[in-house]
Amino acid sequence: MNHSFVLKAEWDGGRNSEGRIEAGQLKTAISIPKEMGGPGIGTNPDEMLLGAAATCYLITLAAMMERAGLPVQKLSLESEGIVDVTNNIFTYVSITHKPYILLEETASEKDLEHARKLAEKAEGSCMISRAVAGNVALSTMPRIEKSGNGES
């Protein structure tokens, strides 16, 4: 079974202009970021690739932990994308996910270790990660804690 996603875009001019995209619930202005010499209006491909990778990873991890029956109290994520510019060629080099997983106070040491393994495994299970694998270095640096007990 295939799923189709359609994005419509408009662009108002040359390199330093701006545009708009719309795909389902995603509706936003787009331009080249200020860091790359653009106007910095709305979002940009670098943020959108990072957003796609991060949301895919987070949703995949949440689903895996739910299926495993882990007592999750809180799940959050910070992700960082690195873009290299050499000889005016822009290359997306890496994405690092830093999930924060807080398990309920009742979680066992086995639960903590299982959460750590799932945090690592989720990267390879996410379709966006699989799509960019081999072109962008992917890594995960999880922080897992148990409620009321400090860091694991």
Side-chain angles (χ1 to χ4, degrees):
M1 177 189 317
N2 291 326
H3 299 278
S4 175
F5 297 92
V6 176
L7 182 138
K8 294 181 181 181
E10 293 181 14
W11 190 257
D12 299 329
R15 178 191 186 278
N16 287 324
S17 296
E18 64 182 91
R20 288 152 306 285
I21 60 170
E22 185 174 323
Q25 297 300 310
L26 174 64
K27 295 176 179 131
T28 189
I30 56 170
S31 74
I32 295 173
K34 284 186 178 185
E35 300 85 354
M36 296 179 176
I41 298 168
T43 191
N44 58 70
D46 311 284
E47 291 172 344
M48 288 192 296
L49 179 60
L50 181 60
T55 55
C56 185
Y57 173 83
L58 187 61
I59 291 168
T60 301
L61 177 57
M64 293 171 83
M65 291 193 310
E66 180 180 280
R67 281 193 302 272
L70 290 174
V72 178
Q73 180 174 322
K74 179 181 179 180
L75 175 60
S76 61
L77 178 66
E78 177 181 311
S79 294
E80 179 182 20
I82 302 295
V83 175
D84 176 66
V85 182
T86 302
N87 298 326
N88 213 25
I89 297 172
F90 296 77
T91 305
Y92 220 109
V93 177
S94 66
I95 295 174
T96 302
H97 297 301
K98 300 172 187 173
Y100 172 66
I101 302 166
L102 181 64
L103 298 180
E104 298 286 347
E105 192 171 353
T106 58
S108 66
E109 288 302 313
K110 186 177 177 182
D111 290 335
L112 291 166
E113 185 54 34
H114 196 185
R116 184 171 311 284
K117 286 178 183 176
L118 291 178
E120 297 292 337
K121 185 178 180 183
E123 186 70 75
S125 299
C126 164
M127 71 174 181
I128 302 298
S129 298
R130 290 192 316 267
V132 301
N135 293 310
V136 177
L138 303 168
S139 61
T140 305
M141 299 171 56
R143 190 178 90 188
I144 303 166
E145 297 178 354
K146 187 161 88 168
S147 179
N149 200 19
E151 198 166 286
S152 150

